[in-house]
Amino acid sequence: MPKKQSPKPARPTAAAPTPTPAKSAKPDPARKISLVQQAISFAQRRHRHQTRRDGNTPYAAHVVRVAFTIERVFDHHDEATIAAALLHDTIEDTHTDFEDLAEPFGQDVAGLVAALTKNMALPEIDRERAYDLQLARADWRARLIKLADAYDNLCDTETLPDGQADAKRLKDAFDRAHRAITLAETDARTHDTSQRAIDALTALIDAKLKAKAKKKPAK
């Protein structure tokens, strides 16, 4: 979550159109670069006053790393997925609406971002339940982006200053990672990318747990 975010007025969340599944045809490299470049610039502008929890890292670095994770770690190259990864926090954390994304990026990208957006008007417990249900019903690529988001958030615990990487924050990162895996397990039956993503996130969780165990003081 971004640090020092100015409060955003709660508003009803309209049901977003179901994203159109990615086509199997070979993507046009020029179109992909154009769409991704536009998404990077848009995300940078919308997140420009936000930082990560360390108070120093620009928040836009997170969304770029999520997109990087999808392409390089998960080996998934669909331009709509990468663009949506770059934009995945814009509706929830900035003054951006569905229409603000649909016009320049299309209904497909905007629908993926909407699926990754929590309803901040709900109490936290209800919000998280509704969010998981929303993701479970969404296009499988939304759950892939969530896996990448969890992957980066878990990596990002290493950048927190001493004293900030407390037990609760680490536990939250692990819990969110496990939730993302659970939501995507069905996708792994039909999408190799989802299985690669689950394997990568599971390996990262195991590595973090081993590192955490080593840091425990001896009794």
Side-chain angles (χ1 to χ4, degrees):
M1 294 293 292
K3 184 178 180 180
K4 299 178 182 178
Q5 168 65 21
S6 58
K8 180 179 178 182
R11 57 187 173 219
T13 303
T18 302
T20 304
K23 296 180 179 179
S24 58
K26 187 176 180 180
D28 178 3
R31 179 182 180 279
K32 174 181 176 180
I33 291 172
S34 176
L35 187 68
V36 171
Q37 286 178 334
Q38 290 179 54
I40 291 172
S41 296
F42 188 97
Q44 174 60 43
R45 291 193 299 271
R46 294 302 168 109
H47 291 295
R48 65 186 179 277
H49 298 306
Q50 299 171 347
T51 60
R52 293 292 278 171
R53 285 181 174 176
D54 63 6
N56 295 311
T57 305
Y59 193 80
H62 164 64
V63 298
V64 170
R65 293 195 306 259
V66 171
F68 182 90
T69 298
I70 288 172
E71 188 160 31
R72 297 300 180 89
V73 181
F74 299 170
D75 194 25
H76 183 71
H77 308 281
D78 168 52
E79 62 265 24
T81 308
I82 295 169
L86 290 160
L87 301 166
H88 78 272
D89 278 334
T90 53
I91 296 179
E92 183 175 316
D93 292 332
T94 75
H95 295 284
T96 302
D97 293 314
F98 182 89
E99 292 76 13
D100 295 328
L101 299 179
E103 183 175 349
F105 300 105
Q107 295 280 323
D108 191 21
V109 171
L112 290 170
V113 176
L116 289 154
T117 301
K118 296 178 182 179
N119 186 346
M120 303 307 288
L122 295 174
E124 184 175 0
I125 295 177
D126 295 337
R127 180 196 314 153
E128 295 302 317
R129 290 173 180 168
Y131 182 61
D132 284 356
L133 182 59
Q134 177 176 290
L135 271 177
R137 293 173 174 172
D139 185 292
W140 73 275
R141 292 170 295 163
R143 293 184 289 277
L144 183 70
I145 295 170
K146 191 61 191 178
L147 287 167
D149 182 48
Y151 187 98
D152 185 67
N153 283 330
L154 199 52
C155 287
D156 213 23
T157 58
E158 296 178 358
T159 68
L160 291 172
D162 291 341
Q164 284 195 26
D166 56 37
K168 184 180 185 304
R169 287 188 175 178
L170 287 173
K171 182 180 182 301
D172 286 346
F174 283 125
D175 288 347
R176 292 176 190 275
H178 284 298
R179 282 169 57 191
I181 289 172
T182 299
L183 284 166
E185 284 177 338
T186 302
D187 300 324
R189 301 172 188 171
T190 52
H191 299 284
D192 291 342
T193 301
S194 295
Q195 187 60 63
R196 284 195 299 272
I198 289 172
D199 290 344
L201 183 53
T202 300
L204 180 62
I205 291 171
D206 291 344
K208 289 284 187 179
L209 288 173
K210 289 179 182 177
K212 182 181 176 184
K214 289 181 180 179
K215 289 182 180 180
K216 285 185 177 180
K219 293 182 179 180

